[in-house]
Amino acid sequence: MKKLKIIPFFFLAVLLLLTACSSKQGTEEKSKADRFQDEREYLIMASLTESDKGIYGVEMGEEYSPIFFVDKATSKKTILCQKVNCKHNSEECPAVENGIVGCMAYSNGTLYFMVQKLEKEELELQLYSMKEDGSGKKKLHTFKNAQIFPNQAGLYKGKIVISVQTQKELEDGSGLTTAEPSIVMYDLKTKKETVLLNGAENEGKYTVPCGGSENGIYLVQIPWEDTAQEQECDYLRYDFETGKLSEVYKTTVSNMQIIKNDILYLQSEGKKQLERYNIKTQEKKVVLEWQEDADEIWAREDYMEFRKNVEEGERKKIYCNWYDFEEEKYLFDGYQDLNKIKVKDKTENGYWVYKEGEPYFYHLEDGRWQEIEEIK
């Protein structure tokens, strides 16, 4: 067996499009109940995912990483396991799998997640599901066209869509290395796996899923190696019915932001404003303006993230503040040290924030910090 050398690629596209919590993407008019149904909303699969009752995530450990659950009503955190006297340190625990666990999404009473495993000296990417209480865990699929953990994944209308690196020979013949990603889709209903875009035939392009609407999904594509701000960025749409890819919008890497339903949010370089572009009607309008300078500005699901890079002696520190779209206000009075305050996502129970490394729910309306209590 040839050794696989996995090279991490920290692309701007992934940072922009990944939200730490698997959350909804859709129009503002949709009800809260729609947020947790993939038939109505495109769900990002990530390290945290929200349900109507709580938050699911992965407790990172040295050997095993069990799935946990945080109850929204009590803010109590427990391992998602109903076995009596279980230590959660082996595969006998239903919350544990031996491998890299993540890419989670909750939909309509079911939790979906992926695991990268080593089976018989070969890497495999497997898809699992379990009921919302942690029972009934089962392996749904082993991917044939993907072996390593996805760059990005989404769940929409019963279809799992992933961006995963292809593999190619190292120049010295000593093994394999990761190359341009493919887009692979697995249909939960038909149990069919399809390659939507072959990375081996898409030379020089880095592609990830970034949204969905009606009967299709959106992809964003940037240069594979040269991610300079002035480089071109393409938004594509894959239609489930026709099976065809089409280009819907072209911009630059510097202008690239999120897509929600058929709405693309754009932050043009040099402009202190966020624009809303309707892909269908091609209408564009300014939805937010600001005065203060920032080194980086990212649009997220429900908020804007403003970053400042500050040189402090020989060290470079990052300070952030966050602006809530719905409340039309900043989370904090001033910029916060990203090493001390890190906003992960907005949930129904407030913002999920890591404060000094510990998780909290932060309530913007009254500035209250609600500690997440871990139950052993």
Side-chain angles (χ1 to χ4, degrees), residues 115-217:
V115 183
Q116 177 188 297
K117 284 187 174 184
L118 187 64
E119 300 278 9
K120 298 179 181 179
E121 297 188 345
E122 294 288 343
L123 283 176
E124 289 187 357
L125 181 64
Q126 301 174 355
L127 174 67
Y128 285 78
S129 72
M130 60 170 55
K131 295 180 181 178
E132 57 188 330
D133 62 359
S135 63
K137 183 175 74 173
K138 57 185 177 180
K139 182 170 71 173
L140 299 177
H141 183 62
T142 298
F143 284 88
K144 299 179 179 62
N145 297 285
Q147 289 76 45
I148 61 177
F149 208 73
N151 307 308
Q152 169 70 303
L155 170 61
Y156 186 54
K157 293 191 179 297
K159 298 171 177 61
I160 304 283
V161 183
I162 65 174
S163 167
V164 62
Q165 246 72 39
T166 54
Q167 302 167 26
K168 66 180 181 182
E169 291 273 358
L170 290 169
E171 291 183 2
D172 60 6
S174 62
L176 301 172
T177 183
T178 52
E180 289 87 337
S182 294
I183 302 296
V184 179
M185 181 176 73
Y186 176 71
D187 193 311
L188 294 167
K189 297 173 184 176
T190 65
K191 304 187 187 317
K192 181 182 178 182
E193 179 180 328
T194 307
V195 177
L196 306 186
L197 188 151
N198 189 339
E201 300 172 357
N202 197 36
E203 187 175 351
K205 299 291 185 180
Y206 182 89
T207 313
V208 294
C210 61
S213 74
E214 297 181 349
N215 203 40
I217 57 165

Side-chain angles (χ1 to χ4, degrees), residues 31-45:
S31 69
K32 288 185 177 181
D34 289 342
R35 298 181 63 203
F36 313 116
Q37 297 186 41
D38 67 276
E39 285 296 329
R40 303 181 185 180
E41 297 273 351
Y42 176 88
L43 305 175
I44 296 172
M45 302 182 74

Side-chain angles (χ1 to χ4, degrees), residues 265-301:
Y265 288 88
L266 303 167
Q267 196 274 307
S268 300
E269 187 177 14
K271 293 183 179 180
K272 298 179 181 179
Q273 61 186 32
L274 184 71
E275 294 176 305
R276 173 182 170 130
Y277 175 75
N278 189 308
I279 292 171
K280 286 188 172 179
T281 66
Q282 298 185 358
E283 178 187 3
K284 184 187 290 187
K285 66 177 181 179
V286 176
V287 293
L288 178 65
E289 295 180 300
W290 56 89
Q291 299 299 321
E292 193 168 359
D293 290 327
D295 294 309
E296 298 174 60
I297 302 167
W298 293 346
R300 303 297 193 183
E301 286 285 325

Side-chain angles (χ1 to χ4, degrees), residues 173-359:
S174 62
L176 301 172
T177 183
T178 52
E180 289 87 337
S182 294
I183 302 296
V184 179
M185 181 176 73
Y186 176 71
D187 193 311
L188 294 167
K189 297 173 184 176
T190 65
K191 304 187 187 317
K192 181 182 178 182
E193 179 180 328
T194 307
V195 177
L196 306 186
L197 188 151
N198 189 339
E201 300 172 357
N202 197 36
E203 187 175 351
K205 299 291 185 180
Y206 182 89
T207 313
V208 294
C210 61
S213 74
E214 297 181 349
N215 203 40
I217 57 165
Y218 288 109
L219 309 171
V220 64
Q221 193 170 80
I222 66 172
W224 167 243
E225 294 179 338
D226 185 1
T227 57
Q229 298 292 289
E230 68 275 5
Q231 292 295 313
E232 286 190 346
C233 162
D234 297 317
Y235 285 89
L236 312 173
R237 188 177 189 276
Y238 177 82
D239 189 283
F240 292 147
E241 292 183 352
T242 65
K244 293 182 179 180
L245 272 171
S246 59
E247 184 179 293
V248 294
Y249 192 80
K250 185 182 289 290
T251 183
T252 61
V253 171
S254 63
N255 199 13
M256 180 179 59
Q257 292 288 1
I258 64 170
I259 192 167
K260 298 177 70 172
N261 204 274
D262 293 309
I263 304 299
L264 178 62
Y265 288 88
L266 303 167
Q267 196 274 307
S268 300
E269 187 177 14
K271 293 183 179 180
K272 298 179 181 179
Q273 61 186 32
L274 184 71
E275 294 176 305
R276 173 182 170 130
Y277 175 75
N278 189 308
I279 292 171
K280 286 188 172 179
T281 66
Q282 298 185 358
E283 178 187 3
K284 184 187 290 187
K285 66 177 181 179
V286 176
V287 293
L288 178 65
E289 295 180 300
W290 56 89
Q291 299 299 321
E292 193 168 359
D293 290 327
D295 294 309
E296 298 174 60
I297 302 167
W298 293 346
R300 303 297 193 183
E301 286 285 325
D302 302 287
Y303 59 94
M304 288 280 287
E305 180 174 310
F306 295 83
R307 291 191 173 195
K308 288 184 177 181
N309 303 319
V310 179
E311 299 286 345
E312 296 186 359
E314 296 182 354
R315 298 179 58 191
K316 177 182 176 181
K317 297 186 71 173
I318 301 174
Y319 290 86
C320 290
N321 206 349
W322 299 265
Y323 180 89
D324 186 280
F325 288 139
E326 184 179 3
E327 299 296 329
E328 297 184 346
K329 62 187 292 188
Y330 287 94
L331 269 64
F332 305 106
D333 291 335
Y335 278 71
Q336 305 294 312
D337 186 339
L338 194 58
N339 289 324
K340 297 179 179 180
I341 300 291
K342 196 167 191 176
V343 173
K344 299 298 287 185
D345 197 33
K346 184 180 182 180
T347 75
E348 288 185 336
N349 202 42
Y351 277 88
W352 180 285
V353 180
Y354 283 97
K355 181 181 180 183
E356 301 286 353
E358 298 297 324

Side-chain angles (χ1 to χ4, degrees), residues 23-36:
S23 53
K24 86 287 184 188
Q25 289 197 4
T27 60
E28 294 82 348
E29 293 78 13
K30 292 189 177 180
S31 69
K32 288 185 177 181
D34 289 342
R35 298 181 63 203
F36 313 116

